[in-house]
Amino acid sequence: MTNIAAAARKHAPIFLVAAFALLPLAGPVQAQKPGGSITVGQELEIAGFDPLKVGVYDTSTFTAAAAIFDTLTTLDDKGEAAPKLAMSWTHSDDYKSWTFRLREGVKFHDGTPFNAQAFKENFDRQKDPANKCRCAFYITNVKEVLAPDETTVVFNLTDPSVNWPAVITIQSSNNVIQSPTAWKTKGDDYNRNPVGTGPYILKSWTAGDRMVLEKNPNYWDKGRPYLDRIILKPLPDAQSRFASLQSGEADIIWDDENDADNIMKAQKDSKLTVHTYKGSGAQVYAFNTKVAPFDDVRVRQALVMALDRPKMSQAISNGLSRPATNPYGDGSWVKCKDDGALPFDVEKAKALIKDYGKPVEFKMLVTATPRGRMIGQVLQQFWKRAGANMEIEQVDQATIPSRAFTRQFQMTPWRIVDLADPDPQMYANFRSGSPLALAGYSNPELDKLLDHARVTADLGQRTEDYCAIGRLINKEAIWFWTFQNTYYALSSAKLKGFPKIYNGVIDVSRTWLE
Amino acid sequence: MLNFVVRRLLGMLPVLLAVSLLTFLIASLLPGDLALVILGDQATPETVAALRRDMGLDQPLWWRYLSWLGHVLQGDLGRSFRTGQTVLQAVAERIPVSLQLMLMAEFIGLLIGVPVAIACAARAGGAFDRFMTGSAFAMLSMPSFLVAILLIYLFAVELHWLPATGYVPFTEAPLANLRFFVLPALTLALAEWPGIMRVLRSDMIATLQEDYIALAKAKGLKPARILFVHALKPSSLTLVTVTGINIGRLLGGTLIVESIFALPGIGRLLVGAIYTRDLVILQGVVLLVACGFVIVNFIVDMLYAVLDPRIRHGHA
């Protein structure tokens, strides 16, 4: 689902700060020690790296991709775009064209030179309709990529994007740069034999078991990486993954709020470090305002006001989940003094439903997982207290997007993922006529604010726009937010230099062992 | 005997055919369109239609089944659209792990179950018998994921004797390989031995009441000799069947145990295929596993006939 929400990019590029000069990669303060090997315990098995095969990367693949490949830009510790394979960039006045100057002398692991042509080939391959790549959806807002000379890449976008360099930092299948020679010569085998310019080279990969990555001796960033070897292991069971960390078979593991007990145990263990990243975005729910009873604002407001988020957090994650009252979250640069959140007020909710005058009965989609079922049951209880009857409809995770896109729902769960800028997702989720505007709600004032926020470079002005958008959505209760996105990794206390977990990516390519 | 084997083999054919039809239907009738899974939810109706045509998904079900069966008979079970691997490649990579796990589990299960059964049968109704029968019942009621987690916390986290998760191939490091398999095999075996014990125990008790045992006792043979030499073999007929059926059941157990202990076997492959809706892998693995089960049953039948000649001459 996370990738689906990122789909926002289709109808919405980005903005933010413009003049990104030659920011150096932010280096940690501690002294880095070279050498050593770590084992990373991941949640999922990696299917492969070829975008044409796997479409979009999942969070486990992100971790490997961060080590094997590079992107043009990266996010620094402040969450701003910084150079990686691109040294600098400029934009046109309307922010619809971005020109990147590439780093020279960089080579892929197979010796192929990295240049503008190689980058363009990566992009064209995904964009080519004949290749039928699932990945193509997420770059529909890029009209074309040009390579006027060896070291210059130009993106021509369909919509303005103030923050484009930050948008392309995530190690997704769209953004990582792969060796054209490798995919051309290896064919079907390329998927499991990826070649990038990144700090680590894939040495071996045993299906379902381990992926061994070894230090790239010719990495362009001299002195890096620090670790000689990274071993990635899929450890699908949360309990045994944590046990592997405790017994020393893994040095760092992926985790989430579902596993609250172990996260809390790790917080008390001096031998372990809990890495927490309070990202932007939130876990959200959309009302279909085109169908009863949600075509009436009183019902929508009543359901939102009946939610006791702290109690819900206690029930589902031992209180670890952080309540959300807007779609931006603590990790976002959008900070609102007033987001217009409706207060928790059961009496008011009851009154609104009484005022509505008809029985409030509806079905809600939830994922057919223990977690989905539990959240559904908790919501059901809150709403029952306010006098509304909700029926849980459990569906397969993959069914939710297609049901949502075809509007075959009354209420559906969704997610706003952690991205460097709110525009792609907000524009896609709330602009009238967008295929992702699940609520089916249309309001000229909301459209005006969304349009304005995406063509304004001034951060203060944009913050005002997004806060006004948040207030409007809260007042009209077309969507509601339950919890903010929080990302977790648990590691041995000896592992140092671990960066922020942007968008859930566990990037160990810059870590070292003390 | 040859007659019997041929009869049995012919009897397997309709079973295998039914298995193939069911497997095909599982994957075909699951909600969700394979073309949509490959192209993603945002694909346009035209691209989905084009892919459906390419893959033959627009053809009637019976035609698709026959064409799939035709490919299967030629050894082509298809190719994962996510990894590009063929089903056979994927299975070949994973099967040694699952086989080793199942064999070790069965071995440990027999190692615990057989001696306990003999000891119980020797003094049926005694304190030891009552205690073990009770324990067996308790073990049967413990879900394997719970047993696995308890074993991990005891032996890996607290005592540091054995690894919690992981795997190395036997050919690379035999001792380390065995260490990785102890806990997962023990988890499965702890659910296996009660069945083995109960079956053998009741058969042994029955055998021990036969006249020839009384004769042996009267001749003054040592009790141990009576138990192991005279009573064990005739009592182990049901055990052979149970062991055979267990292999099929163990396959189900591997789904959970391989996930918990991060063993890269067939169980994990199947769980992964379900999770990612990799229907080609799902279909192929289920087919192979089901056929494996049918073949194991065939072998058990053969063994049965060897152990008890009456069966191959009777109405089997």
Side-chain angles (χ1 to χ4, degrees):
Chain A
M1 189 94 130
T2 49
N3 288 314
I4 305 296
R9 282 176 211 180
K10 176 171 185 178
H11 294 268
I14 308 281
F15 321 56
L16 191 104
V17 241
F20 299 105
L22 281 160
L23 286 176
L25 287 172
V29 192
Q30 299 122 304
Q32 298 91 341
K33 228 170 87 183
S37 157
I38 61 163
T39 300
V40 185
Q42 302 193 278
E43 186 203 22
L44 305 168
E45 266 184 47
I46 294 173
F49 295 89
D50 187 346
L52 299 198
K53 280 259 160 15
V54 298
V56 287
Y57 291 172
D58 53 41
T59 46
S60 295
T61 313
F62 279 151
T63 296
I68 299 170
F69 305 110
D70 283 319
T71 43
L72 282 187
T73 53
T74 185
L75 286 182
D76 63 16
D77 273 358
K78 293 188 211 83
E80 287 168 9
K84 207 164 190 181
L85 283 182
M87 306 278 285
S88 63
W89 43 88
T90 54
H91 60 84
S92 63
D93 290 342
D94 62 357
Y95 296 100
K96 280 175 130 178
S97 177
W98 283 86
T99 304
F100 291 81
R101 182 148 307 280
L102 305 183
R103 196 176 288 281
E104 288 177 57
V106 177
K107 280 194 162 65
F108 288 100
H109 304 152
D110 61 0
T112 308
F114 162 71
N115 53 29
Q117 187 54 34
F119 183 83
K120 185 178 157 51
E121 280 187 51
N122 268 268
F123 175 83
D124 290 348
R125 179 167 183 255
Q126 298 190 16
K127 185 90 172 169
D128 187 351
N131 285 335
K132 295 192 195 108
C133 186
R134 266 211 299 168
C135 54
F137 176 77
Y138 305 94
I139 44 172
T140 42
N141 62 323
V142 186
K143 215 175 350 181
E144 57 181 359
V145 162
L146 306 173
D149 63 55
E150 276 272 294
T151 57
T152 310
V153 161
V154 181
F155 282 86
N156 285 326
L157 311 175
T158 55
D159 291 301
S161 184
V162 177
N163 207 8
W164 184 247
V167 172
I168 55 171
T169 53
I170 295 299
Q171 291 87 347
S172 69
S173 54
N174 292 124
N175 296 335
V176 300
I177 300 152
Q178 323 211 5
S179 162
T181 321
W183 81 62
K184 282 176 201 159
T185 51
K186 291 180 182 171
D188 260 346
D189 291 338
Y190 176 70
N191 192 36
R192 295 178 78 82
N193 292 284
V195 177
T197 58
Y200 289 91
I201 300 172
L202 176 67
K203 270 289 164 233
S204 68
W205 185 0
T206 319
D209 181 36
R210 71 184 60 203
M211 184 182 285
V212 180
L213 305 174
E214 283 192 359
K215 185 175 176 165
N216 174 3
N218 305 314
Y219 194 49
W220 54 265
D221 192 3
K222 290 294 162 227
R224 279 193 51 214
Y226 312 115
L227 293 164
D228 290 335
R229 185 178 299 121
I230 296 174
I231 298 163
L232 304 177
K233 272 187 174 183
L235 305 174
D237 181 76
Q239 288 297 334
S240 59
R241 189 163 61 234
F242 183 62
S244 301
L245 177 70
Q246 287 180 302
S247 62
E249 282 138 47
D251 300 277
I252 181 165
I253 61 167
W254 181 94
D255 216 336
D256 69 12
E257 287 158 1
N258 290 334
D259 196 26
D261 290 349
N262 285 337
I263 293 175
M264 289 170 158
K265 226 181 278 170
Q267 277 164 342
K268 292 186 200 117
D269 190 334
S270 61
K271 282 181 289 193
L272 302 178
T273 308
V274 178
H275 307 269
T276 311
Y277 173 61
K278 297 175 176 174
S280 64
Q283 290 158 41
V284 300
Y285 297 82
F287 290 109
N288 186 347
T289 67
K290 293 277 190 223
V291 297
F294 301 135
D295 50 356
D296 192 306
V297 67
R298 287 169 298 183
V299 177
R300 303 196 302 262
Q301 286 175 334
L303 296 194
V304 179
M305 292 177 97
L307 286 182
D308 183 347
R309 293 180 178 83
K311 210 171 255 174
M312 188 172 169
S313 167
Q314 207 58 47
I316 61 173
S317 64
N318 260 338
L320 271 192
S321 304
R322 298 175 299 128
T325 54
N326 63 55
Y328 311 114
D330 291 348
S332 170
W333 50 261
V334 179
K335 309 274 184 212
C336 302
K337 278 194 206 81
D338 171 22
D339 59 16
L342 297 175
F344 164 59
D345 187 341
V346 185
E347 293 313 313
K348 184 80 194 291
K350 277 185 193 163
L352 282 166
I353 287 183
K354 208 172 157 206
D355 196 31
Y356 174 64
K358 283 175 268 178
V360 174
E361 277 163 359
F362 61 95
K363 272 190 184 178
M364 176 187 176
L365 296 183
V366 301
T367 52
T369 57
R371 172 132 173 126
R373 201 160 48 239
M374 178 154 74
I375 291 174
Q377 284 164 347
V378 172
L379 290 172
Q380 201 174 36
Q381 290 309 313
F382 285 139
W383 291 332
K384 201 169 187 177
R385 249 195 285 169
N389 278 323
M390 181 261 268
E391 194 187 318
I392 294 175
E393 186 181 356
Q394 288 191 61
V395 291
D396 185 337
Q397 177 110 11
T399 307
I400 287 187
S402 54
R403 289 279 297 267
F405 291 141
T406 51
R407 306 294 186 264
Q408 291 169 21
F409 69 94
Q410 284 175 290
M411 185 190 286
T412 183
W414 208 247
R415 188 182 277 269
I416 293 185
V417 300
D418 175 53
L419 286 188
D421 196 275
D423 174 68
Q425 299 181 90
M426 293 303 286
Y427 195 84
N429 291 330
F430 300 107
R431 181 69 169 82
S432 304
S434 154
L436 276 171
L438 305 179
Y441 175 85
S442 179
N443 179 333
E445 195 191 338
L446 185 57
D447 289 348
K448 208 176 88 193
L449 286 165
L450 287 163
D451 288 341
H452 187 252
R454 62 175 8 208
V455 290
T456 309
D458 177 59
L459 212 56
Q461 185 56 53
R462 295 191 72 209
T463 301
E464 272 178 37
D465 286 343
Y466 282 117
C467 291
I469 289 168
R471 282 194 295 274
L472 211 158
I473 299 170
N474 275 335
K475 190 181 116 220
E476 290 291 314
I478 55 175
W479 285 39
F480 64 94
W481 349 96
T482 48
F483 301 111
Q484 305 187 40
N485 289 324
T486 316
Y487 301 96
Y488 294 94
L490 313 180
S491 78
S492 142
K494 288 183 191 149
L495 189 79
K496 301 290 178 191
F498 183 68
K500 285 186 176 167
I501 314 172
Y502 290 122
N503 196 26
V505 182
I506 298 198
D507 178 0
V508 289
S509 66
R510 282 189 266 164
T511 56
W512 69 91
L513 285 170
E514 198 176 67
Chain B
M1 181 75 189
L2 187 69
N3 225 332
F4 175 75
V5 173
V6 172
R7 247 192 356 251
R8 276 290 188 211
L9 277 174
L10 285 177
M12 270 168 67
L13 277 181
V15 178
L16 287 175
L17 210 62
V19 162
S20 78
L21 184 63
L22 281 174
T23 333
F24 176 80
L25 288 178
I26 288 171
S28 308
L29 300 180
L30 271 182
D33 184 334
L34 189 55
L36 204 60
V37 172
I38 295 173
L39 291 173
D41 303 294
Q42 298 79 32
T44 62
E46 298 81 56
T47 51
V48 172
L51 187 65
R52 286 178 62 89
R53 217 170 24 250
D54 287 354
M55 297 176 72
L57 289 173
D58 52 347
Q59 302 290 337
L61 201 62
W62 64 266
W63 187 91
R64 277 160 54 204
Y65 170 64
L66 287 184
S67 114
W68 174 76
L69 192 64
H71 281 108
V72 168
L73 289 176
Q74 290 166 51
D76 172 16
L77 275 81
R79 193 181 271 278
S80 159
F81 60 84
R82 279 173 61 82
T83 63
Q85 268 188 315
T86 64
V87 174
L88 288 179
Q89 263 173 339
V91 169
E93 270 175 5
R94 311 286 189 116
I95 201 103
V97 179
S98 297
L99 282 180
Q100 186 180 354
L101 175 62
M102 289 190 293
L103 288 177
M104 276 182 71
E106 198 60 54
F107 179 72
I108 298 176
L110 288 168
L111 213 61
I112 305 172
V114 172
V116 171
I118 295 172
C120 286
R123 285 213 169 72
F128 181 77
D129 180 31
R130 286 206 307 272
F131 175 73
M132 288 321 286
T133 314
S135 311
F137 188 70
M139 278 319 301
L140 270 180
S141 350
M142 284 259 272
S144 59
F145 66 88
L146 188 65
V147 174
I149 294 297
L150 290 175
L151 289 178
I152 287 177
Y153 273 90
L154 181 61
F155 292 105
V157 178
E158 295 299 327
L159 299 170
H160 287 279
W161 289 356
L162 291 162
T165 53
Y167 166 78
V168 281
F170 187 78
T171 46
E172 224 170 80
L175 269 182
N177 166 280
L178 291 177
R179 271 170 57 83
F180 280 120
F181 272 97
V182 171
L183 290 183
L186 191 60
T187 304
L188 286 176
L190 286 180
E192 283 312 301
W193 77 264
I196 293 169
M197 182 276 237
R198 284 161 64 149
V199 163
L200 185 60
R201 174 185 166 277
S202 54
D203 280 6
M204 282 278 281
I205 291 174
T207 312
L208 288 174
Q209 283 160 359
E210 299 260 345
D211 293 344
Y212 75 92
I213 298 288
L215 182 68
K217 278 186 188 157
K219 283 206 300 200
L221 290 182
K222 280 189 185 137
R225 191 175 159 79
I226 295 174
L227 278 176
F228 290 97
V229 180
H230 296 274
L232 187 58
K233 193 187 161 191
S235 310
S236 51
L237 210 57
T238 327
L239 187 67
V240 172
T241 324
V242 169
T243 311
I245 293 169
N246 275 357
I247 290 178
R249 263 196 12 182
L250 278 172
L251 260 171
T254 62
L255 291 183
I256 295 162
V257 169
E258 286 178 357
S259 291
I260 294 178
F261 291 96
L263 287 173
I266 290 288
R268 275 273 298 292
L269 182 66
L270 205 55
V271 172
I274 294 167
Y275 191 84
T276 57
R277 297 167 77 81
D278 197 336
L279 298 182
V280 179
I281 293 280
L282 179 67
Q283 209 171 31
V285 172
V286 172
L287 179 72
L288 289 176
V289 166
C291 288
F293 191 47
V294 172
I295 290 165
V296 167
N297 269 328
F298 169 77
I299 295 171
V300 170
D301 273 359
M302 294 297 107
L303 272 180
Y304 220 87
V306 172
L307 281 177
D308 189 344
R310 282 173 299 183
I311 288 165
R312 58 177 181 260
H313 299 306
H315 303 284

